[in-house]
Amino acid sequence: GAGVSQSPSNKVTEKGKDVELRCDPISGHTALYWYRQRLGQGLEFLIYFQGNSAPDKSGLPSDRFSAERTGESVSTLTIQRTQQEDSAVYLCASSPGGLYSPLHFGNGTRLTVT
Amino acid sequence: AQRVTQPEKLLSVFKGAPVELKCNYSYSGSPELFWYVQYSRQRLQLLLRHISRESIKGFTADLNKGETSFHLKKPFAQEEDSAMYYCALSGRLLFNKFYFGSGTKLNVKP
């Protein structure tokens, strides 16, 4: 079956605009993660969804960032009033949800804020 | 707080030479460690995990709790091993979240 799908693959936006990034996880995967990767840096944890439990938002860098997930399907990451420091690749990963299950990553969305 | 450190941004070796990619971690609980790899134009994917004690593509990694390390090793590097390698940490105290290092780019020269 298809892997994790992210859209758009590239997004250029002006400072101050809102953006929405989408992630379609692998069917049946109950866990979903968002990460941010700035140029030359590692993956920075943002948010984690597990089934119908309340999401772990402990990695969100500011209240401009929010994410939603509908059941065990699509997730959207929203960044309001974008800033230049938000420029990065945003990676989504899903997993079957068992303890330490391997993460399956999407190709990412490259966000550029001008 | 938890932290994963990969001290080398770039590691270049010749084909057939041994390779070791370093990973150190900081974590107050019992760690679970992983190595992920990203080949050119491919997605980030799991290479191996400590819990499975496996060898994948000739790579092995041993968890050393005394030195808080999980270095990735291969006795004879191949050109197809050239990729970005990320060390990742999880554990019960982290509630199934994973924390990644900054990555090491391995370049295997012919």
Side-chain angles (χ1 to χ4, degrees), chain B residues 20-55:
Chain B
E20 180 180 71
L21 291 87
K22 291 183 167 50
C23 172
N24 288 89
Y25 67 90
S26 173
Y27 176 58
S28 55
S30 182
E32 296 297 335
L33 277 301
F34 308 81
W35 278 98
Y36 280 78
V37 61
Q38 187 169 28
Y39 300 103
S40 180
R41 291 184 293 279
Q42 294 188 27
R43 302 172 184 216
L44 193 59
Q45 59 186 290
L46 177 69
L47 177 62
L48 59 78
R49 43 188 162 176
H50 153 248
I51 197 170
S52 300
R53 303 190 186 282
E54 56 204 347
S55 172

Side-chain angles (χ1 to χ4, degrees), chain A residues 3-5 33 35 37 40-43 45 48 50 56 58 91 97-107, chain B residues 9 30 32 34 36 38 42-46 49 51 86 90-92 94-103:
Chain A
V4 176
S5 177
Y33 303 76
Y35 286 87
Q37 186 172 29
Q41 299 187 22
L43 280 70
F45 167 77
Y48 162 50
Q50 172 58 60
D56 184 328
S58 59
L91 288 166
L99 193 60
Y100 314 133
S101 291
L103 302 185
H104 298 257
F105 283 87
N107 281 325
Chain B
K9 282 193 177 294
S30 182
E32 296 297 335
F34 308 81
Y36 280 78
Q38 187 169 28
Q42 294 188 27
R43 302 172 184 216
L44 193 59
Q45 59 186 290
L46 177 69
R49 43 188 162 176
I51 197 170
Y86 295 91
S90 190
R92 288 196 177 275
L94 300 178
F95 302 102
N96 224 26
K97 290 180 292 192
F98 294 80
Y99 291 86
F100 287 78
S102 55

Side-chain angles (χ1 to χ4, degrees), chain A residues 13-20 62-66 77-83 86 111 113:
Chain A
T13 190
E14 292 181 353
K15 177 181 172 182
K17 301 280 190 185
D18 297 353
V19 295
E20 266 192 10
S62 77
D63 58 9
R64 296 187 296 105
F65 287 73
S66 63
L77 177 69
T78 301
I79 309 173
Q80 296 178 309
R81 305 181 302 281
T82 52
Q83 304 294 313
D86 300 333
L111 175 66
V113 182

Side-chain angles (χ1 to χ4, degrees), chain A:
Chain A
V4 176
S5 177
Q6 290 188 247
S7 60
S9 55
N10 280 284
K11 176 72 177 178
V12 180
T13 190
E14 292 181 353
K15 177 181 172 182
K17 301 280 190 185
D18 297 353
V19 295
E20 266 192 10
L21 311 180
R22 177 186 170 107
C23 173
D24 281 277
I26 292 173
S27 178
H29 280 193
T30 60
L32 188 146
Y33 303 76
W34 283 99
Y35 286 87
R36 176 171 71 177
Q37 186 172 29
R38 289 176 164 145
L39 188 63
Q41 299 187 22
L43 280 70
E44 177 186 358
F45 167 77
L46 296 178
I47 188 168
Y48 162 50
F49 295 89
Q50 172 58 60
N52 294 318
S53 303
D56 184 328
K57 304 179 182 180
S58 59
L60 294 178
S62 77
D63 58 9
R64 296 187 296 105
F65 287 73
S66 63
E68 293 183 351
R69 187 182 186 193
T70 307
E72 294 183 355
S73 62
V74 172
S75 175
T76 53
L77 177 69
T78 301
I79 309 173
Q80 296 178 309
R81 305 181 302 281
T82 52
Q83 304 294 313
Q84 288 187 329
E85 61 262 29
D86 300 333
S87 295
V89 175
Y90 289 83
L91 288 166
C92 175
S94 70
S95 85
L99 193 60
Y100 314 133
S101 291
L103 302 185
H104 298 257
F105 283 87
N107 281 325
T109 294
R110 181 176 298 278
L111 175 66
T112 304
V113 182
T114 61

